[in-house]
């Protein structure tokens, strides 16, 4: 063989990469099970459709189990041959925690949805869309280039549009899906425009290379780079429901099936925040003077608007409980933004406070939605007044919801909620953002009112209601499906454990995530 041929052969061989299948297993398993469910739906008779739900649950459990080998160290794959440090997929501590959060959130959503797919929703379509969205959500925190990040974001979002509008014949569901779709597509277009500007200024999409090249952008391209950074952040601000890009949240949560609203409030938010952390802390640190002040203002605006709107919810309005949770999630998004803004003024390690807070929020918010789903089985309008006397009717569910609300408020016995808020507050103070810490403190006090008002309603005496003589007594109190009971019990158990041992979540605020 001639030297030229040998050199060419060696050059060709160097382009061949081995794929780390263990690293990509979590999103890959979710995607594979989605295809299995889609094919099985074609052949299963209607009486066997419930089997699809259990296949989905088993697949999500398997995806969670596949995270076990990834809990320590860092693994990368799909790297550039010319620069092995520039990879498209990396599983580090950050990716591991967020993947566990989104897959766990999808699993609890599946438990909440088992009965709905038997009675109200098309089973095959629902489970396929849920698994597809979960696969994209699990892929996103491990993405390390803007192209993979954008693809993962859309894989997580596009099925969610369909899930919101899956209640066929329901006007609220259709309107919610349309509003969610149009606003999300607009935000995606803006984000992709920003990505194209960043690529034009740097010639690369890999996050680690962007961090280096943006620091040395030529003067004539500096405006293009800054514009690209801002537009990219706008796209992720929508996904996190940050004000003023939050307008889709209340109507979408009300119109969506309740388990889907729970999924959006936790998994959808985790997707947005993980993407925002990656582009700010990993890719754009040299433009911290651009995104730092912007995110600080967004954080203050988001928590204030969210809490003010939650405060105004009428207890007798239809779906007021879901609307309150929707506006509460907007307020909580403001708290989650604080450490990311603080990272611009101190160090990227501040974002660990966002991860720690997100773990607490995910558990207790899913639990609150699980109890709301239980109440909605007997009272579909789901007004706050429908929770009056819940302790007398279902004491364990009432105690669980009270615990979840106190965690969100940051009051004992919800110790994890208190400690998580203190961690976020400390991030702002340590970064010199005293004004933002004051705004957060005021908002935490404001939020106490509506959380405690809802908690108090649970323990009031139930209103006397006449029951028709021909209506059986048990009809007033529908049986609770076993999966729904498991979801409530599981979230309550994890919440209690986190309150007893808060370091299980809070230690992420003090470790190196990247």
């Amino acid at each position: 063989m001639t030297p030229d041929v040998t050199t060419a052969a060696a050059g060709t061989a160097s382009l061949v990469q081995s794929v780390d299948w263990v690293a990509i297993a979590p999103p890959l398993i979710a995607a594979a099970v989605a295809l299995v469910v889609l094919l099985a739906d074609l052949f299963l008779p209607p009486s066997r459709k419930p089997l699809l739900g259990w296949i989905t649950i088993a697949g999500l459990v398997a995806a969670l189990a596949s995270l076990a080998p990834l809990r320590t160290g860092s693994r990368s794959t799909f790297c550039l041959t010319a620069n092995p440090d520039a990879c498209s997929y990396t599983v580090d501590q950050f990716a591991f925690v967020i993947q566990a959060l989104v897959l766990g959130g999808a699993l609890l959503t599946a438990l909440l949805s088992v009965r709905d797919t038997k009675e109200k929703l098309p089973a095959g379509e629902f489970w396929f869309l849920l698994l597809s969205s979960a696969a994209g959500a699990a892929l996103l925190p491990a993405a390390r280039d803007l192209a993979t990040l954008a693809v993962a974001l859309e894989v997580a979002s596009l099925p969610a549009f369909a899930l919101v509008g899956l209640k066929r014949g329901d006007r609220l569901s259709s309107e919610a899906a349309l509003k969610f779709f149009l606003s999300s597509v607009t935000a995606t277009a803006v984000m992709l425009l920003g990505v194209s500007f960043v690529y034009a200024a740097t010639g690369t999409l890999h996050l680690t290379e962007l961090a280096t090249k943006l620091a040395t952008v030529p003067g004539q391209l500096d405006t293009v780079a800054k514009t690209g950074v801002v537009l990219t952040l706008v796209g992720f601000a929508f996904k996190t429901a940050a004000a003023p890009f939050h307008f889709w949240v209340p109507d979408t949560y009300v119109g969506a099936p309740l388990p889907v609203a729970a999924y959006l409030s936790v998994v959808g938010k985790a997707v947005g925040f993980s993407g925002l952390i990656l582009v700010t802390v990993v890719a754009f640190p040299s433009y911290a003077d651009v995104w730092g002040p912007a995110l600080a203002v967004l954080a203050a605006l988001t928590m204030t608007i969210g809490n003010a709107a939650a405060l105004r919810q009428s207890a007798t309005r239809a779906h007021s409980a879901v609307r309150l949770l929707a506006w509460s999630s907007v307020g909580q998004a403001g708290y989650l933004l604080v450490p990311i803004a603080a990272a611009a003024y101190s160090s990227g390690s501040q974002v660990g406070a966002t991860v720690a807070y997100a773990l607490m929020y995910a558990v207790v918010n899913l639990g609150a939605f699980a109890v709301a789903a239980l109440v909605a089985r007997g009272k579909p309008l789901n007004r706050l007044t429908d929770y009056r006397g819940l302790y007398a009717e279902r004491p364990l569910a009432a105690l669980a919801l009270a615990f979840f609300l106190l965690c969100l408020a940051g009051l004992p016995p919800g110790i994890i909620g208190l400690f998580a808020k203190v961690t976020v507050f400390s991030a702002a103070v340590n970064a010199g953002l005293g004004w933002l810490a004051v705004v957060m403190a005021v908002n935490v006090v404001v939020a106490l009112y509506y959380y405690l008002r809802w908690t108090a309603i649970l323990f009031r005496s139930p209103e006397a209601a006449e029951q028709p003589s021909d209506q059986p007594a048990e009809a007033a109190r529908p049986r609770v499906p076993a999966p729904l009971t498991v979801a409530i019990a599981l979230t309550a158990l994890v919440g209690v454990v986190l309150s007893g041992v808060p370091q299980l979540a809070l230690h992420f605020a003090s470790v190196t995530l990247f």
Side-chain angles (χ1 to χ4, degrees):
M1 184 179 290
T2 65
D4 290 342
V5 176
T6 303
T7 303
T12 303
S14 68
L15 297 177
V16 178
Q17 301 184 44
S18 60
V19 177
D20 189 340
W21 295 102
V22 174
I24 66 174
L28 187 62
I29 290 174
V33 177
L35 293 177
V36 170
V37 167
L38 183 64
L39 292 174
D41 184 49
L42 298 175
F43 301 102
L44 286 177
S47 61
R48 304 296 299 276
K49 296 290 186 182
L51 182 62
L52 298 175
W54 298 110
I55 293 175
T56 299
I57 291 171
L60 290 170
V61 170
L64 276 169
S66 70
L67 286 170
L70 307 175
R71 65 186 182 279
T72 57
S74 178
R75 305 173 71 132
S76 298
T77 189
F78 306 117
C79 302
L80 294 179
T81 53
N83 182 7
D85 293 330
C87 301
S88 293
Y89 189 97
T90 298
V91 181
D92 45 24
Q93 280 293 296
F94 174 77
F96 171 79
V97 174
I98 301 300
Q99 285 182 337
L101 190 158
V102 298
L103 291 172
L107 177 60
L108 284 168
T109 302
L111 290 172
L112 294 178
S113 307
V114 168
R115 181 51 64 99
D116 283 348
T117 54
K118 290 181 180 179
E119 300 172 352
K120 305 172 185 176
L121 304 175
E125 293 93 324
F126 180 88
W127 297 120
F128 170 72
L129 292 168
L130 178 63
L131 284 164
S132 299
S133 181
L139 171 62
L140 190 139
R144 291 299 182 272
D145 70 66
L146 291 179
T148 305
L149 205 61
V151 170
L153 188 64
E154 290 311 295
V155 172
S157 300
L158 290 175
F161 305 149
L163 286 171
V164 170
L166 213 54
K167 290 195 291 186
R168 295 171 180 169
D170 188 305
R171 182 180 59 84
L172 286 177
S173 180
S174 300
E175 289 180 358
L178 183 61
K179 179 178 290 188
F180 186 25
F181 173 75
L182 293 176
S183 51
S184 183
V185 166
T186 302
T188 300
V190 172
M191 182 191 70
L192 291 176
L193 181 61
V195 169
S196 68
F197 283 1
V198 171
Y199 179 73
T202 61
T204 184
L205 291 174
H206 286 84
L207 304 187
T208 52
E209 290 190 336
L210 281 171
T212 302
K213 293 189 175 182
L214 280 174
T216 57
V217 169
Q220 64 268 31
L221 293 176
D222 184 60
T223 301
V224 174
K226 284 184 177 179
T227 304
V229 168
V230 171
L231 293 178
T232 303
L233 294 180
V234 166
F236 283 104
F238 166 84
K239 302 297 182 182
T240 60
F245 312 105
H246 66 288
F247 53 86
W248 57 274
V249 173
D251 289 342
T252 299
Y253 283 21
V254 168
L258 208 51
V260 175
Y263 179 83
L264 292 176
S265 73
V266 171
V267 178
K269 197 172 262 68
V271 166
F273 275 100
S274 56
L276 188 62
I277 288 171
L278 288 173
V279 296
T280 53
V281 175
V282 180
F284 303 154
S286 56
Y287 281 82
D289 59 328
V290 175
W291 55 262
L295 290 183
V297 172
L298 281 181
L301 190 63
T302 301
M303 65 179 76
T304 302
I305 290 177
N307 287 320
L311 201 63
R312 296 178 59 252
Q313 294 306 304
S314 169
T316 57
R317 182 182 181 183
H319 309 291
S320 55
V322 178
R323 285 189 177 276
L324 192 147
L325 286 174
W327 285 114
S328 164
S329 75
V330 174
Q332 299 288 339
Y335 306 148
L336 288 163
L337 281 170
V338 171
I340 307 176
Y345 296 87
S346 52
S347 68
S349 61
Q350 296 281 12
V351 298
T354 290
V355 174
Y357 196 94
L359 289 172
M360 178 282 299
Y361 169 78
V363 172
V364 299
N365 208 59
L366 281 170
F369 269 102
V371 178
L374 184 152
V375 173
R377 293 187 58 77
K379 299 171 181 177
L381 289 181
N382 221 329
R383 297 166 295 200
L384 287 172
T385 52
D386 293 334
Y387 291 77
R388 178 169 180 170
L390 183 62
Y391 180 75
E393 299 176 8
R394 301 187 186 275
L396 293 179
L399 289 173
L401 180 56
F403 174 71
F404 298 140
L405 293 174
L406 291 176
C407 282
L408 290 171
L411 293 176
I415 300 298
I416 184 60
L418 174 62
F419 282 13
K421 281 184 169 59
V422 170
T423 301
V424 170
F425 187 86
S426 299
V429 173
N430 293 337
L433 294 173
W435 68 270
L436 185 56
V438 171
V439 173
M440 179 181 172
V442 171
N443 274 278
V444 168
V445 173
V446 170
L448 291 179
Y449 174 78
Y450 62 81
Y451 285 129
L452 290 177
R453 180 182 65 165
W454 193 354
T455 304
I457 290 174
L458 303 175
F459 299 97
R460 289 181 183 171
S461 300
E463 294 179 342
E466 296 183 4
Q467 184 166 311
S469 57
D470 58 345
Q471 183 179 355
E474 58 270 18
R477 184 178 174 179
R479 291 184 58 186
V480 183
L484 181 55
T485 302
V486 170
I488 296 173
L490 192 58
T491 50
L493 177 62
V494 175
V496 170
V497 170
L498 289 177
S499 286
V501 192
Q503 274 307 110
L504 290 176
L506 298 181
H507 87 279
F508 290 108
S510 57
V511 300
T512 303
L513 295 175
F514 299 103

